Amino acid sequence: MVSLYISGPSWAHRLPASVKLVFLCLITLLLFPLDQWWQQAIGLAAVLGFYGSLGKKGLKALKVLKNLLWMLSFIFLIHLAFTSWEDGIVISLRLVTLVLLANFLSITTKMDDLMDAIEPLFRPLSVFGVTSKKIALAVALVIRFVPMLMAVFMSLQEAYRARTGKGSSMRLLAPFVIHALKLADEVAEALTARGGADGYKNTASR
């Protein structure tokens, strides 16, 4: 199963998954209305401090930022051409902060704990015949997949740099999509082998 979890006795590992999810939602709501680059920079600095509090493993996890550089450059250039450089910086800083927060949750939270925190939110849907465990697993996988796919792109980028000496290229998009689809198939097969959402929960708890 997809996992970027970093084991450790840190304060972030001791926090319940539900608290971290609520914190992620609150930070997202707080960041979006802010339209000054220095305000977004403060938020990013705080998140970087979270990673630093995990020690060397946390700082190593910041390698995920490499995957954002090409996207941030594109976003900045779009805003530079059609709006202003201030808007480009604000949006870029906000995006980095939110991605790092989602990644921080992934590396400090076990998959089964994440599902336990998400599942109660969807239990009312059971009156419509919807299985809350399936939705909880889907949401948890989305949270996991964001940093996981970024790690895949980073590995492709490093391989391309080793072969050509160039940092990145649009040619990486095709193999990236192929890797993403293959990863989705592997996860689907693993879930099927374990009996779906219920099977995964039972296996993960062993």
Side-chain angles (χ1 to χ4, degrees), residues 9-56:
S10 73
W11 62 272
H13 290 81
R14 291 191 294 269
L15 278 179
S18 57
V19 173
K20 285 182 275 192
L21 283 170
V22 170
F23 182 74
L24 176 61
C25 293
L26 288 177
I27 292 297
T28 302
L29 293 175
L30 288 174
L31 285 178
F32 269 94
L34 302 179
D35 57 1
Q36 299 295 321
W37 70 266
W38 60 268
Q39 295 171 325
Q40 299 291 338
I42 291 175
L44 177 58
V47 174
L48 293 177
F50 294 162
Y51 280 81
S53 68
L54 300 181
K56 293 182 178 180

Side-chain angles (χ1 to χ4, degrees), residues 43-76:
L44 177 58
V47 174
L48 293 177
F50 294 162
Y51 280 81
S53 68
L54 300 181
K56 293 182 178 180
K57 291 182 178 180
L59 294 176
K60 187 177 181 180
L62 287 174
K63 291 174 61 178
V64 71
L65 285 174
K66 292 182 179 180
N67 301 323
L68 286 176
L69 293 180
W70 66 274
M71 188 190 328
L72 295 175
S73 299
F74 178 76
I75 291 174
F76 179 76

Side-chain angles (χ1 to χ4, degrees), residues 6-192:
I6 297 176
S7 60
S10 73
W11 62 272
H13 290 81
R14 291 191 294 269
L15 278 179
S18 57
V19 173
K20 285 182 275 192
L21 283 170
V22 170
F23 182 74
L24 176 61
C25 293
L26 288 177
I27 292 297
T28 302
L29 293 175
L30 288 174
L31 285 178
F32 269 94
L34 302 179
D35 57 1
Q36 299 295 321
W37 70 266
W38 60 268
Q39 295 171 325
Q40 299 291 338
I42 291 175
L44 177 58
V47 174
L48 293 177
F50 294 162
Y51 280 81
S53 68
L54 300 181
K56 293 182 178 180
K57 291 182 178 180
L59 294 176
K60 187 177 181 180
L62 287 174
K63 291 174 61 178
V64 71
L65 285 174
K66 292 182 179 180
N67 301 323
L68 286 176
L69 293 180
W70 66 274
M71 188 190 328
L72 295 175
S73 299
F74 178 76
I75 291 174
F76 179 76
L77 291 175
I78 290 295
H79 282 276
L80 184 62
F82 297 100
T83 57
S84 66
W85 65 268
E86 291 94 342
D87 288 342
I89 291 179
V90 168
I91 292 177
S92 297
L93 289 175
R94 183 187 296 139
L95 177 61
V96 171
T97 301
L98 295 180
V99 170
L100 286 181
L101 272 176
N103 187 61
F104 187 78
L105 187 148
S106 292
I107 65 177
T108 60
T109 310
K110 294 181 179 178
M111 188 71 168
D112 50 333
D113 293 337
L114 192 58
M115 286 182 61
D116 287 338
I118 296 173
E119 185 183 349
L121 299 175
F122 298 100
R123 283 177 184 165
L125 296 178
S126 60
V127 298
F128 301 105
V130 178
T131 304
S132 59
K133 286 185 178 180
K134 292 181 179 179
I135 301 180
L137 178 59
V139 174
L141 284 175
V142 169
I143 296 175
R144 290 288 198 193
F145 258 75
V146 172
M148 186 66 184
L149 290 176
M150 293 178 70
V152 169
F153 186 82
M154 184 174 65
S155 64
L156 291 173
Q157 197 173 42
E158 291 176 351
Y160 182 79
R161 184 183 297 110
R163 291 195 304 268
T164 66
K166 299 179 181 179
S168 187
S169 172
M170 293 294 292
R171 296 178 181 177
L172 294 177
L173 292 180
F176 173 71
V177 171
I178 293 174
H179 276 75
L181 293 175
K182 182 179 179 182
L183 180 61
D185 284 340
E186 291 175 352
V187 172
E189 290 175 0
L191 285 174
T192 301

